Amino acid sequence: MRVLVVGASGYNGSRIAAHLREQGHWVRGFVRDPARAPAGLDHVVVGDVATGVGLSEALTSIDVAYYFVHSLDSTDQDDRDLTAARHFAHAANSAALPRGVFFSTLPAPNGAPAPRYQRNRLAVEQELLTVLGMIVVRAGMVLGDQSRGLRPYLQLIRRAPLIPMGPWRRHRMAVVDSATTTACLVHAGTTTEQIGRTVDIPASGEPTHEQLVHVIMDALNVHRPIVRVPWSTPTLDAFLASRFTDDSFHFSRHLASINRFDYVVDSTRTKPFAHITPLPLQAALKMAVDNHPTDQNSR
């Protein structure tokens, strides 16, 4: 197949591109900075999805396009992400793209008011789903050596003398190892089967946030006292997290806002990936922790 990876220089994009090349597919990368394009691509198109420049060229003669565009650290992320999705959807429809894959997060439970971060993701999903062949692949926290969701937990445990956790500590979060995530994304884009418009990657586990902290501490062999705080707000949690991690207050608030609900997979949506078995939770975390960069500021 002829595959386009939009955002090929990012963590997910580079991983997917490498695995597709290993399977014998022809892979074109779409990047803003050619110096950051991963090695081994068959072709590189330089452009900017935020403006639409280069998308028409990138989508020429493509069988499937992977879309990895996300401005988590931008204060104007909603406008940027939605504008980028509109540019891509317009270009993809103009090119009659047969199939697309968008990697997204699990949504808030039915009936729950979506946090701002989730509203952003859902708005982008709806825009991309105007492309007839688009498939939205959702997952919880990915446990990998460059996981943005896992990193704050690791840094808090390594740096903070204690771990304050509000009532959100009781909420569950689906987590999955990075190898399973990659396998499911590759399958979604390359299978000849019709797998549906929205699918969920199966989870390695669905622990509460408190349980997850305990498992991470075991994997790190670093144990801190957990202080169960009777109340908290996303703003307060973000302030505390940003003091002990390398993440900005803006990004920390995104994470804090989605901790207010359970995020679990829908088993009916995991059926297309029934042949893929995730690593167990402890094994997945051990692998992620062992491969994660060490923290020079740990205490």
Side-chain angles (χ1 to χ4, degrees):
M1 298 180 72
R2 293 176 64 86
V3 183
L4 170 66
V5 179
V6 180
S9 59
Y11 174 63
N12 289 310
S14 60
R15 284 178 61 88
I16 293 300
H19 279 74
L20 289 167
R21 288 283 290 119
E22 288 174 2
Q23 292 188 1
H25 300 289
W26 186 92
V27 181
R28 172 185 291 155
F30 184 75
V31 298
R32 287 186 298 176
D33 181 359
R36 295 184 58 200
L41 294 173
D42 295 288
H43 187 222
V44 174
V45 172
V46 178
D48 189 348
V49 70
T51 62
V53 172
L55 279 174
S56 178
E57 176 188 354
L59 285 160
T60 300
S61 303
I62 289 297
D63 299 310
V64 58
Y66 284 86
Y67 187 84
F68 297 108
V69 176
H70 197 182
S71 51
L72 261 180
D73 293 308
S74 172
T75 55
D76 62 344
Q77 86 167 52
D78 290 353
D79 292 338
R80 287 175 58 85
D81 284 354
L82 193 54
T83 298
R86 286 172 177 160
H87 284 310
F88 178 82
H90 176 75
N93 283 322
S94 297
L97 177 70
R99 179 178 292 194
V101 177
F102 172 53
F103 185 38
S104 189
T105 62
L106 296 171
N110 290 336
R116 178 178 177 178
Y117 172 76
Q118 292 295 334
R119 293 198 301 271
N120 170 281
R121 295 290 82 200
L122 292 172
V124 170
E125 282 185 16
Q126 292 307 306
E127 192 65 44
L128 293 177
L129 284 171
T130 63
V131 180
L132 186 61
M134 183 62 64
I135 301 169
V136 174
V137 180
R138 293 171 170 171
M141 182 192 298
V142 178
L143 304 176
D145 58 351
Q146 296 186 46
S147 169
R148 289 298 303 274
L150 177 63
R151 186 176 72 179
Y153 284 89
L154 295 176
Q155 293 183 343
L156 277 170
I157 291 169
R158 285 169 168 158
R159 300 178 181 181
L162 51 84
I163 311 297
M165 302 187 76
W168 52 269
R169 65 185 178 273
R170 296 186 289 266
H171 293 301
R172 298 161 64 203
M173 169 64 78
V175 296
V176 61
D177 63 281
S178 58
T180 294
T181 303
T182 299
C184 290
L185 286 168
V186 169
H187 179 72
T190 59
T191 182
T192 58
E193 301 173 356
Q194 296 295 321
I195 66 172
R197 298 277 272 166
T198 305
V199 292
D200 286 1
I201 293 177
S204 296
E206 294 178 339
T208 66
H209 290 280
E210 185 171 355
Q211 290 170 338
L212 181 60
V213 166
H214 279 293
V215 177
I216 294 173
M217 287 195 292
D218 288 341
L220 289 171
N221 196 28
V222 175
H223 296 88
R224 309 292 192 200
I226 293 176
V227 179
R228 297 180 179 89
V229 182
W231 63 273
S232 65
T233 67
T235 299
L236 176 60
D237 291 337
F239 172 76
L240 293 172
S242 61
R243 290 291 301 274
F244 289 98
T245 71
D246 295 335
D247 291 311
S248 66
F249 173 83
H250 179 74
F251 176 77
S252 298
R253 200 175 192 286
H254 281 315
L255 293 185
S257 69
I258 66 174
N259 286 348
R260 267 58 192 170
F261 306 106
D262 291 329
Y263 287 90
V264 297
V265 299
D266 181 341
S267 60
T268 63
R269 295 184 187 273
T270 64
K271 290 180 180 179
F273 306 126
H275 62 293
I276 300 173
T277 302
L279 282 176
L281 175 59
Q282 286 80 2
L285 264 174
K286 182 68 164 57
M287 181 174 293
V289 167
D290 287 348
N291 293 328
H292 205 278
T294 57
D295 184 354
Q296 298 300 320
N297 295 321
S298 59
R299 301 174 182 178

